[in-house]
Amino acid sequence: MLRLRALLLLAAALWLVGCAAPQPVPRTYVVLLESPDGTTGRVVVSDAGGSRVLERAGQGTVIGDARGATFEVDDAQRQRDFGGAIGARPPVPEAVVLHFERSGVRLVPESQRRMVELAARIREWPAVELLIVGHTDTVGDGPFNERLGLARAQAVAAELASRGVSPLSLTIESRGERELLVNTPDETDEPRNRRVVVSIR
Amino acid sequence: MPARRIFRLPRLLAAAGFLLLLAPLSGRIAAQEANAPIGHVKTVSGEAWVGPRGAAPEARPGMPVHVGAVMRTGRTGTLGVTLKDNTVMSFGPDTEVVVDDYLFDPGQGGLKLAASITRGTMNFVSGLIAKLRPDAQSVRTPTGTIGVRGTQFLVKVDDPAQTTE
């Protein structure tokens, strides 16, 4: 009799434990992810539980929980809770560098090939905003290089347009020889400085 | 050269006139900057709205986003926006987010992003503001604040009205 009662108690206790077992779904929580550039930064959560830092990708914490515990959020939960937000993420802005032949507006062959793929990608970019900035090396004087940088940027803009790119906004600028990528003395032929940077947002 | 004489003679007057001309102009420029968009809508699906609270038009790609604008999605909606500093934010269904404060003026050292999410889900990718000043970005939720230190994160806020507990 006593043993039966003990058994029943044990069963009841197990049943209670079983009921409590499923983790409650966190109501308000944050999950750290790896950044698109491959690095992982940190977030600092401040709430009733004080302040705590998440610094590993996949690490989460409830916001407004006095215990301040952290936990792992797996792909399945991430997809279930955040599938919509993740799917709606616009492309992360990027910059592409194109290089030029000496003292002119002709792209080097490698950059010319790249142009085809670049134009295709920009066409797919939703409501794309473009900033095209031309640079030169230090061959020639300052005013000449201001004009050359602008001409290079305009040439890239024209080529993108001819390949069907029609951006929401387009800004064309020249830095001439004022922002060298590789520092050189004046009148130095430096292929890496002869460039146009296309910033895509 | 008669043209040169014109410039020499009433120099004082010309200067005064120039200042008068400039005064309302600079005011207008300042106003324009205050109204300048801080970003644009890039992706929309289903029901989504961006604009002043209570009067927000339906969102569409290319629509400007201003400080204080309410970004909202309906039961089936999603929305993605990209800000001037390359911060990328996207929202799942039943979400409401406002950018309360935004400064991106690296030349003058003005760097700040403060947003608040009152319900729903958000995917946040930090941009140049976080790179240039790591403690200048924060996202408020009803139960606490997230300080963003240059990264990507997800946040989910349950609508208190839909809590069934």
Side-chain angles (χ1 to χ4, degrees), chain B residues 91-125:
Chain B
F91 317 119
D94 282 320
T95 299
E96 188 175 303
V97 173
V98 176
V99 177
D100 305 295
D101 206 350
Y102 186 86
L103 272 175
F104 181 56
D105 187 1
Q108 301 297 309
L111 297 163
K112 187 170 191 200
L113 192 168
S116 47
I117 176 168
T118 42
R119 62 194 166 93
T121 53
M122 170 164 71
N123 183 341
F124 187 103
V125 184

Side-chain angles (χ1 to χ4, degrees), chain A residues 27-31 33-35 41-47 63 78 81-82 85 88-90 93 126-127 129 201, chain B residues 40 42-43 62 78 82-84 86 88 90 92 121 141 143-147 149-158:
Chain A
R27 298 229 157 266
T28 290
Y29 73 104
V30 57
V31 189
L33 298 183
E34 187 182 282
S35 293
R42 296 182 302 146
V43 299
V44 182
V45 176
S46 310
D47 60 9
I63 304 174
R78 204 181 298 173
D81 279 355
F82 299 101
R89 194 183 84 182
E129 300 159 84
R201 183 173 72 210
Chain B
H40 289 89
K42 299 289 180 180
T43 66
T78 68
T82 303
L83 305 184
K84 277 194 306 185
N86 294 350
V88 175
S90 52
T121 53
T141 77
T143 50
T145 301
I146 303 164
R149 307 287 187 262
T151 192
Q152 176 167 217
F153 69 88
L154 303 163
V155 58
K156 175 172 183 281
V157 173
D158 260 21

Side-chain angles (χ1 to χ4, degrees), chain A residues 2-3 11 28 30 36 44 60 63 69 78 88 95 99 103 114 122 126-127 131 136 145 156 162 167 179 181 184 187:
Chain A
L2 215 83
R3 263 174 64 191
T28 290
V30 57
V44 182
I63 304 174
R78 204 181 298 173
H99 291 97
S103 53
R114 198 127 183 245
I122 297 176
L131 167 63
T136 68
N145 280 328
V156 168
S162 77
E179 288 180 17
L181 185 68
T184 69
E187 296 300 328

